[in-house]
mmCIF file of all heavy atoms in Angstrom:
data_model
loop_
_atom_site.group_PDB
_atom_site.id
_atom_site.type_symbol
_atom_site.label_atom_id
_atom_site.label_comp_id
_atom_site.label_asym_id
_atom_site.label_seq_id
_atom_site.Cartn_x
_atom_site.Cartn_y
_atom_site.Cartn_z
ATOM 1 N N TYR N 897 19.014 93.063 76.156
ATOM 2 C CA TYR N 897 20.405 93.396 76.439
ATOM 3 C C TYR N 897 20.634 93.514 77.937
ATOM 4 O O TYR N 897 21.608 92.997 78.475
ATOM 5 C CB TYR N 897 20.769 94.704 75.721
ATOM 6 C CG TYR N 897 22.217 95.103 75.912
ATOM 7 C CD1 TYR N 897 23.233 94.430 75.257
ATOM 8 C CD2 TYR N 897 22.548 96.139 76.781
ATOM 9 C CE1 TYR N 897 24.551 94.794 75.444
ATOM 10 C CE2 TYR N 897 23.857 96.501 76.977
ATOM 11 C CZ TYR N 897 24.859 95.833 76.304
ATOM 12 O OH TYR N 897 26.158 96.210 76.492
ATOM 13 N N GLY N 898 19.708 94.115 78.628
ATOM 14 C CA GLY N 898 19.815 94.254 80.073
ATOM 15 C C GLY N 898 19.710 92.905 80.773
ATOM 16 O O GLY N 898 20.351 92.656 81.780
ATOM 17 N N ASN N 901 23.084 91.078 80.558
ATOM 18 C CA ASN N 901 24.091 91.660 81.432
ATOM 19 C C ASN N 901 23.756 91.490 82.907
ATOM 20 O O ASN N 901 24.567 91.816 83.751
ATOM 21 C CB ASN N 901 24.273 93.153 81.128
ATOM 22 C CG ASN N 901 25.086 93.362 79.868
ATOM 23 O OD1 ASN N 901 25.800 92.465 79.441
ATOM 24 N ND2 ASN N 901 24.962 94.534 79.270
ATOM 25 N N SER N 905 23.489 85.031 82.256
ATOM 26 C CA SER N 905 24.312 84.249 81.334
ATOM 27 C C SER N 905 25.529 83.674 82.055
ATOM 28 O O SER N 905 26.022 82.620 81.693
ATOM 29 C CB SER N 905 24.739 85.083 80.126
ATOM 30 O OG SER N 905 25.787 85.959 80.475
ATOM 31 N N GLU N 908 24.227 80.627 83.579
ATOM 32 C CA GLU N 908 23.955 79.647 82.540
ATOM 33 C C GLU N 908 25.257 79.003 82.058
ATOM 34 O O GLU N 908 25.317 77.784 81.870
ATOM 35 C CB GLU N 908 23.236 80.331 81.370
ATOM 36 C CG GLU N 908 22.693 79.342 80.374
ATOM 37 C CD GLU N 908 21.823 80.029 79.323
ATOM 38 O OE1 GLU N 908 21.018 80.894 79.671
ATOM 39 O OE2 GLU N 908 21.989 79.658 78.157
ATOM 40 N N ASP N 912 26.257 75.137 82.355
ATOM 41 C CA ASP N 912 26.725 74.356 81.208
ATOM 42 C C ASP N 912 28.059 73.682 81.515
ATOM 43 O O ASP N 912 28.277 72.519 81.176
ATOM 44 C CB ASP N 912 26.871 75.254 79.972
ATOM 45 C CG ASP N 912 25.523 75.683 79.398
ATOM 46 O OD1 ASP N 912 24.502 75.044 79.746
ATOM 47 O OD2 ASP N 912 25.493 76.667 78.622
ATOM 48 N N LEU N 918 29.742 66.921 84.815
ATOM 49 C CA LEU N 918 28.949 65.785 85.302
ATOM 50 C C LEU N 918 28.819 64.722 84.214
ATOM 51 O O LEU N 918 28.916 63.530 84.502
ATOM 52 C CB LEU N 918 27.570 66.277 85.746
ATOM 53 C CG LEU N 918 26.639 65.251 86.369
ATOM 54 C CD1 LEU N 918 27.267 64.689 87.639
ATOM 55 C CD2 LEU N 918 25.297 65.875 86.682
ATOM 56 N N LEU N 928 33.771 52.371 83.703
ATOM 57 C CA LEU N 928 34.341 51.614 84.815
ATOM 58 C C LEU N 928 33.417 50.471 85.238
ATOM 59 O O LEU N 928 33.866 49.351 85.491
ATOM 60 C CB LEU N 928 34.603 52.543 86.001
ATOM 61 C CG LEU N 928 35.289 51.930 87.214
ATOM 62 C CD1 LEU N 928 36.675 51.429 86.840
ATOM 63 C CD2 LEU N 928 35.381 52.948 88.333
ATOM 64 N N LYS N 937 32.578 38.615 85.213
ATOM 65 C CA LYS N 937 32.251 37.460 84.360
ATOM 66 C C LYS N 937 33.465 36.556 84.198
ATOM 67 O O LYS N 937 33.345 35.330 84.275
ATOM 68 C CB LYS N 937 31.759 37.933 82.994
ATOM 69 C CG LYS N 937 30.372 38.505 83.012
ATOM 70 C CD LYS N 937 29.958 38.997 81.632
ATOM 71 C CE LYS N 937 28.618 39.705 81.705
ATOM 72 N NZ LYS N 937 28.248 40.291 80.401
ATOM 73 N N ASN N 938 34.645 37.159 83.980
ATOM 74 C CA ASN N 938 35.862 36.356 83.829
ATOM 75 C C ASN N 938 36.189 35.604 85.110
ATOM 76 O O ASN N 938 36.560 34.428 85.067
ATOM 77 C CB ASN N 938 37.041 37.248 83.428
ATOM 78 C CG ASN N 938 36.924 37.759 82.006
ATOM 79 O OD1 ASN N 938 36.232 37.181 81.182
ATOM 80 N ND2 ASN N 938 37.595 38.853 81.726
ATOM 81 N N SER N 944 34.262 28.724 88.162
ATOM 82 C CA SER N 944 33.518 27.557 87.698
ATOM 83 C C SER N 944 34.465 26.462 87.222
ATOM 84 O O SER N 944 34.264 25.272 87.519
ATOM 85 C CB SER N 944 32.574 27.971 86.568
ATOM 86 O OG SER N 944 31.897 26.866 86.043
ATOM 87 N N ASN N 948 35.009 22.663 88.847
ATOM 88 C CA ASN N 948 35.001 21.407 88.091
ATOM 89 C C ASN N 948 36.283 20.614 88.324
ATOM 90 O O ASN N 948 36.241 19.388 88.473
ATOM 91 C CB ASN N 948 34.819 21.693 86.596
ATOM 92 C CG ASN N 948 33.452 22.247 86.280
ATOM 93 O OD1 ASN N 948 32.506 22.069 87.037
ATOM 94 N ND2 ASN N 948 33.348 22.932 85.160
ATOM 95 N N ASP N 949 37.415 21.325 88.358
ATOM 96 C CA ASP N 949 38.692 20.639 88.612
ATOM 97 C C ASP N 949 38.717 20.006 90.001
ATOM 98 O O ASP N 949 39.167 18.872 90.169
ATOM 99 C CB ASP N 949 39.860 21.607 88.469
ATOM 100 C CG ASP N 949 40.094 22.041 87.025
ATOM 101 O OD1 ASP N 949 39.566 21.361 86.118
ATOM 102 O OD2 ASP N 949 40.782 23.060 86.823
ATOM 103 N N LEU N 956 38.668 11.446 91.986
ATOM 104 C CA LEU N 956 39.877 10.636 91.840
ATOM 105 C C LEU N 956 40.440 10.244 93.200
ATOM 106 O O LEU N 956 40.830 9.095 93.427
ATOM 107 C CB LEU N 956 40.920 11.413 91.035
ATOM 108 C CG LEU N 956 42.247 10.717 90.776
ATOM 109 C CD1 LEU N 956 42.040 9.476 89.916
ATOM 110 C CD2 LEU N 956 43.204 11.676 90.091
ATOM 111 N N GLY N 958 38.758 10.041 95.997
ATOM 112 C CA GLY N 958 37.836 9.077 96.614
ATOM 113 C C GLY N 958 38.057 7.671 96.090
ATOM 114 O O GLY N 958 38.050 6.699 96.855
ATOM 115 N N MET N 961 41.300 6.355 97.583
ATOM 116 C CA MET N 961 41.112 5.963 98.981
ATOM 117 C C MET N 961 40.343 4.643 99.077
ATOM 118 O O MET N 961 40.627 3.815 99.955
ATOM 119 C CB MET N 961 40.383 7.070 99.748
ATOM 120 C CG MET N 961 41.211 8.336 99.938
ATOM 121 S SD MET N 961 42.780 8.052 100.746
ATOM 122 C CE MET N 961 42.239 7.640 102.383
ATOM 123 N N LEU N 967 42.983 -2.551 99.815
ATOM 124 C CA LEU N 967 44.307 -3.129 100.054
ATOM 125 C C LEU N 967 44.563 -3.352 101.545
ATOM 126 O O LEU N 967 45.165 -4.346 101.944
ATOM 127 C CB LEU N 967 45.405 -2.216 99.485
ATOM 128 C CG LEU N 967 45.595 -2.223 97.983
ATOM 129 C CD1 LEU N 967 46.626 -1.174 97.585
ATOM 130 C CD2 LEU N 967 46.029 -3.600 97.516
ATOM 131 N N MET N 979 52.856 1.436 98.606
ATOM 132 C CA MET N 979 51.936 2.432 98.050
ATOM 133 C C MET N 979 52.023 3.746 98.828
ATOM 134 O O MET N 979 52.043 4.821 98.234
ATOM 135 C CB MET N 979 50.499 1.895 98.086
ATOM 136 C CG MET N 979 49.517 2.783 97.384
ATOM 137 S SD MET N 979 49.762 2.733 95.631
ATOM 138 C CE MET N 979 48.537 1.543 95.215
ATOM 139 N N SER N 983 53.330 7.317 97.475
ATOM 140 C CA SER N 983 52.513 8.523 97.610
ATOM 141 C C SER N 983 53.306 9.655 98.247
ATOM 142 O O SER N 983 53.231 10.809 97.812
ATOM 143 C CB SER N 983 51.265 8.244 98.442
ATOM 144 O OG SER N 983 50.478 7.275 97.816
ATOM 145 N N LYS N 995 57.747 24.542 94.769
ATOM 146 C CA LYS N 995 58.676 25.416 95.478
ATOM 147 C C LYS N 995 59.644 26.098 94.511
ATOM 148 O O LYS N 995 60.055 27.235 94.740
ATOM 149 C CB LYS N 995 59.455 24.577 96.514
ATOM 150 C CG LYS N 995 60.096 25.383 97.568
ATOM 151 C CD LYS N 995 59.053 25.910 98.515
ATOM 152 C CE LYS N 995 59.735 26.403 99.761
ATOM 153 N NZ LYS N 995 58.880 27.222 100.555
ATOM 154 N N LEU N 996 59.995 25.449 93.426
ATOM 155 C CA LEU N 996 60.920 26.004 92.452
ATOM 156 C C LEU N 996 60.289 27.104 91.602
ATOM 157 O O LEU N 996 60.999 27.918 91.027
ATOM 158 C CB LEU N 996 61.466 24.910 91.536
ATOM 159 C CG LEU N 996 62.487 23.981 92.158
ATOM 160 C CD1 LEU N 996 62.923 22.931 91.151
ATOM 161 C CD2 LEU N 996 63.694 24.737 92.670
#
Side-chain angles (χ1 to χ4, degrees):
Y897 182 74
N901 283 340
S905 77
E908 191 172 317
D912 288 343
L918 184 61
L928 184 62
K937 286 178 186 175
N938 289 338
S944 177
N948 293 338
D949 290 344
L956 180 64
M961 291 304 291
L967 284 175
M979 187 71 97
S983 299
K995 198 73 165 165
L996 286 179

